[in-house]
Amino acid sequence: MRARDLAQDLPTVRPDSDALAAARLIASHRLPGVAVVDADGNPVAVLPASQVLRFVVPTYIQEDPHLARVVDEATADRSAGALAGKRVGDLLPARGQRVELAAVEGDATALHCAALMARLHSPLVVVTDDGRVRGLLTAAHLLEVLLSSAEDGSGQASTK
């Protein structure tokens, strides 16, 4: 299968989009992240949900997760407020610290997509045709496809 056949029509955001709205989009669709596109619809970055969490969870708790035990529930429930007033671009690593964009052309194979996701530790890959976003491919969907092709028809995983 090719990436264009596996790509799903999932939402994208722009760098100037509201960060809290983007986080709600990720949460409501249970996405591992979203693609960030410029004004022309060209992909510029992948914003993983885990990167959003870095802005929601205070740094001192990230450094020592045991401290989360002393934070009351009301305070924890308000932690997403840290996204208020921020833009998606604020959540992305600085330009000099950004990793390679997890993007493939539509004719890429499933294995190529899997290799790129594994190398970049990306939960999704942007599928493009002529530089324009065609869709997104999540790691969960790709695993589903790869695992189903590994079954031998009896419902048991193949040992070949």
Side-chain angles (χ1 to χ4, degrees):
M1 294 212 95
R2 301 294 175 175
R4 74 173 51 88
D5 303 319
L6 300 171
Q8 299 171 294
D9 186 22
L10 296 173
T12 59
V13 296
R14 294 188 17 189
D16 61 350
S17 297
D18 180 72
L20 190 54
R24 286 186 176 124
L25 180 70
I26 291 169
S28 67
H29 292 293
R30 295 184 181 208
L31 298 172
V34 292
V36 182
V37 298
D38 65 17
D40 296 323
N42 301 310
V44 295
V46 168
L47 177 62
S50 59
Q51 180 70 11
V52 176
L53 289 174
R54 291 187 62 191
F55 283 81
V56 171
V57 177
T59 304
Y60 67 92
I61 293 177
Q62 290 179 46
E63 291 171 358
D64 185 359
H66 291 96
L67 292 175
R69 294 178 183 170
V70 299
V71 176
D72 63 48
E73 287 299 316
T75 302
D77 290 344
R78 289 190 304 272
S79 62
L83 295 174
K86 294 200 181 313
R87 299 283 166 216
V88 167
D90 298 332
L91 307 183
L92 298 173
R95 287 222 182 264
Q97 298 174 339
R98 289 191 187 162
V99 297
E100 177 185 341
L101 175 63
V104 297
E105 283 291 321
D107 63 350
T109 65
L111 189 58
H112 178 173
C113 296
L116 183 64
M117 287 177 169
R119 183 170 58 84
L120 297 178
H121 303 277
S122 181
L124 59 89
V125 66
V126 180
V127 180
T128 64
D129 273 324
D130 298 322
R132 305 286 299 199
V133 175
R134 179 178 181 98
L136 305 176
L137 177 56
T138 65
H141 181 60
L142 184 56
L143 273 172
E144 179 182 43
V145 169
L146 293 173
L147 291 172
S148 70
S149 66
E151 291 183 354
D152 65 2
S154 67
Q156 300 295 316
S158 174
T159 56
K160 295 180 186 178

